[in-house]
Amino acid sequence: MKKAIIIGAGPAGLTAAYYLLKETDIKPVIIEKDNVVGGLSRTVNFEGNRMDIGSHRFFTKNDEVAALWEKLLSPQGAPALDDKLLGRHVELVQGGADPEQCDAVFLNRQRISRIFYLRHFFAYPVSFGWETIKNLGLSRMAGICFSYLQAVLRKRQENNLEDFMINRFGRRLYETFFEKYTEKVWGRHPRDIGADWGSQRIKGVSISKVLSDFLQRALRIKRQESEASLIEKFRYPKYGPGQLWERMRDEVLAMGGEIRMGCEAVELLPGTSGDLAGVVYECGNGRERLEADYVISSMPVSQLLHTLSGYGVPDEVQAIGDKLPYRDFMTAGLLVDRLEIDNQTHHKTLGNIVPDCWIYIQEPDVRLGRLQIFNNWSPYLVENHRSKVWLGLEYFCQQGDEMWQMQDEDFLAFAVRELENIGIIRHNCVEKGCVVRMEKAYPAYFGSYKDFGKVREYLDTIPNLYCIGRNGQHRYNNMDHSMLTAIEAVRVIKSGSQDKRALWQVNTEENYHEMRQKG
C-alpha cells in the first residue's frame, strides 16, 4: 500500500487525510507537532470555558465543503438554549439535531460585529447609517464623501494596500477606519503591504456597495436575487470550531488513517529521481524515519524549505523563504462578572450584554486588536453563561517582542488595564483568565513575499510534494479554502498528473469570500 505523509493536523491536513481514505487506497500518516488538532481553528478549554482562537465562522460557497461539514456535524433542527430563553427566531432544518439534546450540531448564528472607535460603536463593515453619521459628525462625513468622489474620478495605480483601499473607500474613510488598524494588525503601514492582501480579504467591498446596501435597507427596496450582499448569518459548532476538527480526526482514525501527535517534521529525504523518499520527524523519544510515496505539507513555507536542506534548495529560494513575513497572535481569555458597555441595539441577548460576536478595537491608545464575546458565539462555550461573560482579547504581535515575552500573569494584567482604559470593564470584575500564543498565525504580504512566485515554482518541481493550507501556501485562506487546497491535492495525486496549478488557484476567484451570491 502506498503511503502519504501529511505534515500538520489543521483543517487542510485533516481534510487531505480524509479524502485520501475516501477516494484512494493510499494510507495517510499525519505528523502534528502540537498535542491538539485544528491548528489555528482549534478550541481551547479553560476550566470549562471554551475559547475560539481568532474567530471562525463556518460559511462557504462550495457545496462539497458544506456537505462534508454537515456530515460531521448535524444542522440545527431545534432552538438552542439562548434562542429558547430569548424567544428568538432562528432558521431550523427539518430533521436536524436539537442542540439541547445533541452535542454534534451546528448552531445557526447571526453575524453581529462592530467597530469600537472614539469610545463609540460603528457598524462593520463600515456603513453610512445614522449611527455612523451621528458618531463621526457632519464635518467628518462631508470630508469622507468628498474624498470618495475624488477617488472615483481619479483612480490610483494599485502598488500597495493603501492604494487598494483608497481606490475603494476614498482617503478620508481609509484614514479614519483602516490605516491605523491595519498597522496595528500587521505591524506595517498599508503602503508597505502588497495589494494582494486586499484582493484576498476585501474583494468586492467598496463604498458604492455599502451605500447601495444602506439605501435599499432604508427605503425597504427588495434586493435583486442576483445581487451580492454582506453575509449576515453563519453556522457555528456548539462547542467551537475545534469540535468539527476533532470529529474529522475521529473519522480519519476510524477509516484507517494514522495521526502522530507531538511530532515535528525536521527533514524531508531526497529520493533517487528528484522526488522525496520520506520524512524524518522528532518526538519525545528521539528521531524516526518514515518512508513516503507522497508528502503533503501544511507547515509554514519558511520551515518547509529548511527541511529540504538535503535536497539542495537554491540559495535565492532559501533567502526568500527565510524572510517570508508572518504575524503572530496572542489571546487573553478573561472571565468577568459584567461589562460596562450597554446593549443599545434591538438585538436581544442573555444578560442584555452587547450582542457582538466580536468587536474591532480601533482605539489608537491601546494595542488590543479585537474583542471576542464568546457568550454570543454559543452559550455552550461558557460554563456559567447566566452570570459570567467570557471574553477573548486578541493581540497581533511578533515572536520575541515585548508582548510575546511577557509572563502570563503580566500579560493578563496588561490586557485588563487596556480594556478598563477604554471603558469596557472594571478591573475588579475579572474572576480569572488564561493566555494562548499562536505562532505564524497570519502569513503576511510584504517583504520577500513579492518574490514568492520563485519559491512556488521551485516547490512545484518536486514531483511528489504538495503544499496546502494557509501556511503551506503562505496565503491568508479561510477554513473552506484551506480544505479545498487539500481536496485538489488529493485529486492531483489520484489523477497521476504533475500539474499542481489547481492547488494554487483556490481562493483566487473574483468574488470575496465575505460575499455571497444570491440565487
Side-chain angles (χ1 to χ4, degrees), residues 338-467:
R338 65 186 183 280
L339 302 178
E340 296 301 312
I341 45 178
D342 298 323
N343 180 13
Q344 298 182 2
T345 75
H346 66 278
H347 299 287
K348 294 187 290 184
T349 61
L350 296 179
N352 200 35
I353 62 174
V354 290
D356 309 77
C357 295
W358 73 99
I359 301 168
Y360 294 96
I361 306 296
Q362 302 212 15
E363 302 289 14
D365 53 337
V366 294
R367 295 180 65 177
L368 176 61
R370 283 186 313 213
L371 176 66
Q372 303 275 355
I373 304 177
F374 296 116
N375 303 56
N376 296 329
W377 286 93
S378 165
Y380 305 103
L381 295 179
V382 190
E383 186 178 40
N384 188 353
H385 65 273
R386 294 181 182 273
S387 62
K388 303 295 180 184
V389 186
W390 178 225
L391 304 174
L393 286 69
E394 300 181 345
Y395 290 84
F396 307 91
C397 56
Q398 298 297 137
Q399 289 182 59
D401 69 12
E402 180 185 3
M403 271 201 303
W404 188 267
Q405 295 189 74
M406 282 185 184
Q407 297 295 316
D408 285 1
E409 58 270 22
D410 294 332
F411 182 68
L412 286 171
F414 165 75
V416 169
R417 286 195 300 271
E418 288 220 314
L419 212 54
E420 186 176 24
N421 181 45
I422 58 177
I424 291 181
I425 65 169
R426 293 182 182 174
H427 73 277
N428 59 2
C429 76
V430 178
E431 182 175 316
K432 54 189 173 183
C434 65
V435 177
V436 177
R437 293 171 174 81
M438 293 297 296
E439 299 177 4
K440 293 181 170 59
Y442 302 107
Y445 289 21
F446 49 80
S448 70
Y449 175 77
K450 68 183 186 301
D451 298 316
F452 183 73
K454 296 178 181 179
V455 176
R456 171 189 160 179
E457 288 174 9
Y458 168 73
L459 293 172
D460 280 352
T461 65
I462 304 174
N464 61 340
L465 173 64
Y466 305 85
C467 296

Side-chain angles (χ1 to χ4, degrees), residues 26-181:
I26 300 167
K27 179 179 179 178
V29 178
I30 298 178
I31 297 171
E32 169 57 54
K33 71 175 183 178
D34 216 326
N35 292 308
V36 294
V37 299
L40 186 65
S41 302
R42 73 188 62 192
T43 298
V44 174
N45 189 334
F46 173 66
E47 299 182 10
N49 299 288
R50 293 174 170 85
M51 181 161 56
D52 183 345
I53 307 300
S55 73
H56 292 87
R57 289 164 293 143
F58 284 72
F59 63 87
T60 183
K61 295 184 290 184
N62 184 276
D63 292 339
E64 185 172 10
V65 169
L68 177 54
W69 285 347
E70 289 195 4
K71 181 178 180 181
L72 296 170
L73 296 177
S74 300
Q76 183 177 351
L81 176 65
D82 51 354
D83 301 329
K84 284 184 175 181
L85 293 174
L86 296 168
R88 187 167 61 195
H89 172 74
V90 62
E91 293 181 9
L92 302 175
V93 175
Q94 187 173 5
D98 181 350
E100 289 289 88
Q101 304 296 325
C102 174
D103 288 340
V105 58
F106 275 115
L107 306 183
N108 292 330
R109 313 307 282 177
Q110 184 170 3
R111 170 184 173 149
I112 304 174
S113 58
R114 290 179 291 175
I115 294 168
F116 194 70
Y117 176 61
L118 303 174
R119 303 320 195 244
H120 291 292
F121 280 106
F122 293 84
Y124 178 86
V126 177
S127 72
F128 286 154
W130 310 124
E131 181 183 58
T132 301
I133 295 170
K134 179 185 72 173
N135 290 342
L136 286 178
L138 291 177
S139 176
R140 276 200 187 98
M141 283 301 304
I144 286 171
C145 292
F146 180 71
S147 174
Y148 175 65
L149 291 175
Q150 286 182 312
V152 169
L153 296 173
R154 189 174 60 190
K155 292 293 182 185
R156 302 160 66 100
Q157 183 176 345
E158 293 184 358
N159 297 315
N160 52 53
L161 184 58
E162 180 173 76
D163 297 330
F164 181 95
M165 289 182 168
I166 290 175
N167 278 346
R168 284 154 182 78
F169 302 105
R171 177 170 287 279
R172 288 292 295 277
L173 190 63
Y174 156 73
E175 290 175 343
T176 301
F177 286 113
F178 298 99
E179 183 179 24
K180 295 300 182 185
Y181 185 74

Side-chain angles (χ1 to χ4, degrees), residues 448-505:
S448 70
Y449 175 77
K450 68 183 186 301
D451 298 316
F452 183 73
K454 296 178 181 179
V455 176
R456 171 189 160 179
E457 288 174 9
Y458 168 73
L459 293 172
D460 280 352
T461 65
I462 304 174
N464 61 340
L465 173 64
Y466 305 85
C467 296
I468 61 172
R470 174 182 282 200
N471 274 329
Q473 294 191 343
H474 201 87
R475 180 176 292 163
Y476 201 160
N477 286 328
N478 267 6
M479 286 184 295
D480 59 334
H481 293 125
S482 291
M483 294 175 69
L484 287 169
T485 63
I487 294 170
E488 292 293 347
V490 171
R491 289 179 178 161
V492 170
I493 291 171
K494 185 179 176 182
S495 72
S497 171
Q498 297 298 313
D499 186 352
K500 302 174 186 175
R501 284 178 295 179
L503 280 70
W504 298 96
Q505 288 171 355

